[in-house]
Amino acid sequence: MRKKIIAGNWKMNKTPSQAAELINELKDSINKEDVDVVFCVPFVDLACAFDMLKDSGISVGAQNVYFEDNGAFTGEISAKMLSEIGVRYVIIGHSERRSLFGETDEMINKKLLKVIANDIIPILCVGESLEQREDGVTLDFIRIQVKKAFKNISDEDAKKVVVAYEPIWAIGTGKTATSEQAQEVCKGIRQVISEIYDENVANDIRIQYGGSVKEANAKEIFEMPDIDGALVGGASLSSEFIGIVNYK
Ligand code: PGA
């Protein structure tokens, strides 16, 4: 049985004082019994999140990382830096980073390798555009994204990765994929993983859905056999996140 993992992606929202307010509002009402809960906050909110979430059962994650250890990379943060302060998860390859900041599949693969080497769990995002969906190439495209991301990653390490299937057309648009559409692609991702590795790895790896997840659609999505949780953007910034995590 795979344990569900529900992560909030705060994106570029909340100053440290606003983060403290939101964490206070959420942390005691969230069910952490049979779900791994993660708050992926902006870098400047990490200290506050650690402070407020210690002993809460909620993990702290970051939203980006660079693949070099140190050096002349102005503005970047290394996996080693994140690891030393206790970051447990990091989002890698979000579509906003791919489209707005030029991240390529090769960079994303390097980031995955580096993050795993530093004992941080990557939340790897993949997902098709509206045009690709309409052209009927969704699964072909996602197979390539997954294969490129997992290059040179061992069986043991692959099991640790969390994959987030996020159709770009559903992110921040209020347009959620139907639970069947989400299930179809998450199942396809598990299939690719079993081709790259084996059934064992495919059965262990956790696959989230992301894209306009709300309290109203969470339960239906989480009941799908190949969906092991969600990466939640907008709805992670309010008390709605409680309803999503406590979906049962
Ligand atoms: P959304 O964002 O829930 O606001 O659609 C999801 C994401 O980008 O991770």
Side-chain angles (χ1 to χ4, degrees):
M1 254 320 257
R2 297 181 295 268
K3 191 173 181 189
K4 291 240 180 315
I5 171 161
I6 302 177
N9 173 10
W10 289 14
K11 307 195 180 184
M12 197 178 74
N13 292 293
K14 306 292 177 188
T15 65
S17 64
Q18 293 167 336
E21 250 173 68
L22 178 60
I23 291 170
N24 253 335
E25 189 182 343
L26 303 180
K27 70 174 178 153
D28 294 329
S29 314
I30 281 181
N31 154 41
K32 311 114 192 163
E33 294 278 295
D34 46 5
V35 180
D36 287 333
V37 183
V38 189
F39 289 178
C40 296
V41 306
F43 290 129
V44 295
D45 295 342
L46 285 169
C48 155
F50 279 123
D51 191 38
M52 295 187 67
L53 291 171
K54 65 169 159 328
D55 307 321
S56 71
I58 297 172
S59 300
V60 177
Q63 301 172 12
N64 186 28
V65 64
Y66 197 56
F67 51 77
E68 297 288 353
D69 287 329
N70 50 51
F73 304 104
T74 302
E76 293 297 326
I77 304 272
S78 72
K80 200 173 175 155
M81 291 169 179
L82 294 179
S83 161
E84 190 172 314
I85 61 166
V87 167
R88 297 267 330 271
Y89 295 87
V90 62
I91 299 172
I92 292 183
H94 189 280
S95 61
E96 286 150 17
R97 296 224 49 95
R98 293 179 191 252
S99 68
L100 302 172
F101 302 100
E103 289 197 10
T104 62
D105 288 321
E106 289 67 31
M107 290 164 77
I108 287 160
N109 172 246
K110 285 188 190 172
K111 289 183 175 199
L112 274 182
L113 286 161
K114 190 55 81 175
V115 158
I116 292 168
N118 282 278
D119 275 330
I120 300 174
I121 299 174
I123 301 179
L124 163 73
C125 302
V126 295
E128 82 287 5
S129 65
L130 184 58
E131 194 186 351
Q132 288 166 327
R133 176 155 286 268
E134 285 172 352
D135 288 348
V137 298
T138 297
L139 281 174
D140 298 332
F141 176 71
I142 285 172
R143 288 177 71 83
I144 295 168
Q145 279 189 322
V146 170
K147 283 193 173 170
K148 289 191 167 178
F150 278 89
K151 193 172 163 203
N152 296 332
I153 292 177
S154 71
D155 287 41
E156 267 323 294
D157 287 340
K159 289 183 186 174
K160 300 174 193 157
V161 177
V162 175
V163 181
Y165 165 53
E166 298 208 308
I168 297 169
W169 49 272
I171 295 176
T173 56
K175 219 173 149 184
T176 323
T178 63
S179 43
E180 288 77 20
Q181 284 172 323
Q183 162 60 22
E184 187 194 9
V185 179
C186 291
K187 187 178 169 190
I189 293 171
R190 212 176 288 290
Q191 177 65 37
V192 190
I193 298 289
S194 86
E195 289 164 23
I196 308 172
Y197 300 97
D198 57 29
E199 288 270 301
N200 240 338
V201 179
N203 284 331
D204 278 2
I205 206 164
R206 294 188 290 179
I207 305 175
Q208 302 173 312
Y209 166 76
S212 301
V213 174
K214 316 180 238 309
E215 199 175 337
N217 58 25
K219 186 167 192 287
E220 196 188 321
I221 292 169
F222 297 155
E223 277 171 350
M224 290 290 149
D226 285 294
I227 302 181
D228 308 311
L231 183 57
V232 184
S236 70
L237 295 170
S238 72
S239 58
E240 183 162 8
F241 194 61
I242 300 171
I244 293 173
V245 180
N246 304 358
Y247 65 97
K248 278 191 185 145

